[in-house]
Structures are given as structure tokens and as C-alpha cells.
DNA sequence: ATGGTCGGGAACCGA
């Protein structure tokens, strides 16, 4: 089974590229972030023609995540109902989703969570506290799935090491690199999760749109796949599709994130 | 320290 995660920065704007990406790499399950689309706005025709269905989708006022799959789906759970939203009480918290996805061969399901970890904005912003609290709640919620094949995939908005930042000095007053955020990420690893892409696919996964950050390879590594033990042992390879981020390779504007692809043994 | 570029949705906010 081939799994991918990709912050697409608007599914509607990017749909042609998403479909081409699914075709190009023969993807079975795609976890997407920043869909920026309400349910009724999802561009489904081309996806359904390719055999994909939306396994899960959730949206709050400024974001949205989804899981697209062409393999059997089962027992889909959506949302994080115990999680309070940030700010407006009417805001729907739905930036973490879980879906149980059965493998095509039938040999046991894999749980895929499509995550958009809150950005944090600035270390002195209330949203930063919210980010840390959100991660703590996610870890607690996901811990019960450590004993089954589970992957927490998506945009973590954390650079776990200095090597994951093009210039850590530029981030001295910024989120993504603070000790508290790194400790929050490390807590997942200490708790039994394994990051399964780094060893196969080193390098950045995100480059800001401005100042030609991609062309100069001044990026961040913030998109990760954390697997439970029974998921991690099935991972055979992984790669970052840098071409998808390269403005010179494909038609139309790229997302600011590159997709990360993971292969699983049956 | 600021600004640079995107996307959404129609003025700025979020990243």
C-alpha cells in the first residue's frame, strides 16, 4: 500500500495537480491538509473517476483536512469532539481526523490520522499555548492506538532538530523551533511512536513562497509520519516529491509543501 | 526590524 501526506494549500486551486500527483505515483491513500473547502465545495468528480472517495473531511474557519482513499474503508471516525476550538466558541475543531483504512489485500486495517497541527503564530501568542495543548491532547487521544497499525501523518508545524531549518538563527523569536514545541514532538517518540520518513527521505518538505526559498533550498522539514510499532515495521521506503513543489516542473502554482510518500508492505 | 508571496473572498487574515 502506498500512502502520502500533503499540505495542498487549497484543494480547489490545486485539484489538477492533486489528480496528476495521484496518477504519477499510484497513490492508494492521500492525507491532505489545508483543504480550505467546505464539504459541498470539495472537487470530487476527477477523484471519484479515479476510484477515490473522501474517507474523512473536517474544517474549521481557516483550514481543513481530509483523507482520500481508493482502498476499502471501514469504521471511519471524524473529528476530535472533546477538543475545544481556539477563540470563537462556534469554531469547529476538526484539524485532526482519524480514519480506519483497510488494506487492499485485506490483511488488517491501518489507521490514518490526517493532522494539521496548529501553527502557533508567535511564541507570545495565545495560539502558541493552544498549539502545545492541542499536541498534548492529540498524544493522549492517539495513545490507545499504539498497539494497532496507526500513522499520525501531516503538517506538524515543528522542526524537531536544527537540521530541519535552513537557518535556525532566523527563527530565534519564532515558533516551530522552540524547546517546548520540540519537547512536545519528542514526547510522541518517547511514548512509542516512530518517525518513519526521515531515514528514507531526508530534506525539507516546506519552502515559503517568497524570496525564492525553494530555488535556494531554504526550507523546513515539518511534514512527518509517526507510526506505531506495527505500522513502522511495515514501512519499506519513503520519498519527498520535490518536483511537485518546483514552480518550473509542472503547470500551475505549486503548494508551499511537497508531498511525502510512504510505502507499506502488505 | 521589515517585507516578501500565496489563498480565500472581497478587506484583510492566516501561513
Amino acid at each position: 500500500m502506498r500512502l502520502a501526506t500533503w499540505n495542498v494549500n487549497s484543494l480547489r486551486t490545486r485539484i489538477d495537480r492533486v489528480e496528476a500527483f495521484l496518477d504519477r505515483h499510484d497513490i492508494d491513500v492521500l492525507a491532505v491538509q489545508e483543504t480550505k473547502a467546505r464539504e459541498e465545495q470539495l472537487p470530487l468528480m476527477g477523484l471519484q473517476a479515479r476510484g477515490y472517495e473522501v474517507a474523512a473531511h473536517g474544517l474549521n474557519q481557516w483550514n481543513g483536512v481530509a483523507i482520500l482513499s481508493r482502498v476499502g474503508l471501514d469504521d471511519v471516525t471524524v473529528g476530535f469532539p472533546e477538543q475545544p476550538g481556539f477563540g470563537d466558541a462556534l469554531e469547529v475543531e476538526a484539524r485532526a481526523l482519524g480514519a480506519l483504512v483497510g488494506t487492499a489485500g485485506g490483511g488488517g486495517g491501518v489507521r490514518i490520522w490526517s493532522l494539521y497541527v496548529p501553527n502557533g503564530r508567535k511564541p507570545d501568542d495565545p495560539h502558541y499555548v493552544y498549539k502545545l495543548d492541542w499536541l498534548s491532547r492529540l498524544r493522549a487521544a492517539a495513545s490507545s492506538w499504539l498497539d494497532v497499525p496507526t500513522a499520525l501523518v501531516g503538517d506538524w508545524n515543528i522542526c524537531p532538530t536544527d537540521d530541519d531549518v535552513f537557518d535556525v538563527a532566523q527563527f530565534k523569536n519564532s515558533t516551530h523551533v522552540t524547546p517546548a514545541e520540540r519537547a512536545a514532538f519528542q514526547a510522541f517518540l518517547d511514548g512509542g511512536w516512530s518517525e518513519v520518513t526521515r531515514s528514507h527521505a531526508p530534506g525539507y518538505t516546506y519552502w515559503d513562497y517568497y524570496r525564492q526559498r525553494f530555488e535556494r533550498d531554504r526550507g523546513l522539514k515539518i511534514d512527518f509520519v509517526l507510526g506505531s510499532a506495527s505500522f513502522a515495521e511495515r514501512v519499506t521506503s519513503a520519498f519527498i516529491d520535490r518536483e511537485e513543489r518546483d514552480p518550473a516542473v509542472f503547470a500551475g502554482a505549486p503548494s508551499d509543501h511537497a508531498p511525502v510518500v510512504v510505502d507499506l508492505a502488505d
Side-chain angles (χ1 to χ4, degrees):
Chain A
M1 189 171 80
R2 176 165 270 191
L3 163 72
T5 179
W6 186 12
N7 181 325
V8 295
N9 189 16
S10 173
L11 194 53
R12 285 177 290 168
T13 295
R14 217 71 62 202
I15 187 59
D16 290 349
R17 297 184 67 129
V18 170
E19 292 171 359
F21 165 77
L22 293 169
D23 292 343
R24 183 164 73 249
H25 295 301
D26 204 20
I27 303 294
D28 293 308
V29 181
L30 174 61
V32 288
Q33 299 87 37
E34 296 210 48
T35 58
K36 298 185 176 178
R38 296 186 299 276
E39 191 87 29
E40 70 273 16
Q41 295 176 314
L42 292 172
L44 296 178
M45 285 184 52
L47 296 172
Q48 289 171 340
R50 287 167 171 78
Y52 296 91
E53 57 182 308
V54 178
H57 176 256
L59 175 76
N60 69 12
Q61 66 190 35
W62 68 78
N63 208 318
V65 296
I67 296 172
L68 311 175
S69 177
R70 65 177 187 188
V71 299
L73 304 174
D74 216 3
D75 189 24
V76 174
T77 55
V78 176
F80 223 12
E82 78 285 7
Q83 173 87 18
F86 176 77
D88 190 338
L90 296 177
E91 181 184 321
V92 177
E93 177 51 53
R95 281 174 290 179
L97 296 182
L100 176 61
V101 180
T103 58
V110 177
R111 284 180 172 85
I112 310 293
W113 291 55
S114 180
L115 307 177
Y116 179 82
V117 175
N119 174 283
R121 298 180 187 169
K122 295 277 168 51
D124 61 356
D125 191 297
H127 203 265
Y128 175 81
V129 178
Y130 172 71
K131 177 181 192 174
L132 296 175
D133 182 57
W134 192 98
L135 284 162
S136 175
R137 289 167 180 270
L138 170 65
R139 187 159 52 88
S143 64
S144 64
W145 284 1
L146 269 167
D147 57 354
V148 292
T150 305
L152 311 178
V153 314
D155 180 355
W156 286 76
N157 271 318
I158 297 171
C159 301
T161 78
D162 286 355
D163 287 343
D164 302 325
V165 194
F166 67 90
D167 179 7
V168 76
Q170 281 196 28
F171 283 72
K172 65 183 169 77
N173 293 317
S174 302
T175 58
H176 293 55
V177 301
T178 66
E181 288 166 284
R182 287 179 170 176
F185 188 88
Q186 184 63 38
F188 281 85
L189 307 183
D190 293 342
W193 299 94
S194 301
E195 205 292 308
V196 300
T197 69
R198 183 187 292 275
S199 63
H200 300 282
Y204 305 134
T205 62
Y206 162 88
W207 299 258
D208 246 319
Y209 280 124
Y210 41 75
R211 292 196 167 186
Q212 297 187 302
R213 287 270 172 82
F214 180 81
E215 289 78 355
R216 298 189 292 157
D217 197 26
R218 296 170 73 77
L220 306 176
K221 193 173 188 67
I222 54 178
D223 298 273
F224 296 104
V225 174
L226 270 60
S228 64
S230 53
F231 177 91
E233 69 188 12
R234 287 172 57 180
V235 173
T236 57
S237 62
F239 65 92
I240 300 163
D241 184 8
R242 286 178 61 106
E243 284 198 322
E244 179 53 54
R245 177 61 184 86
D246 189 339
V249 174
F250 300 114
S255 169
D256 42 4
H257 292 249
V260 180
V261 181
V262 175
D263 283 318
L264 295 182
D266 288 333

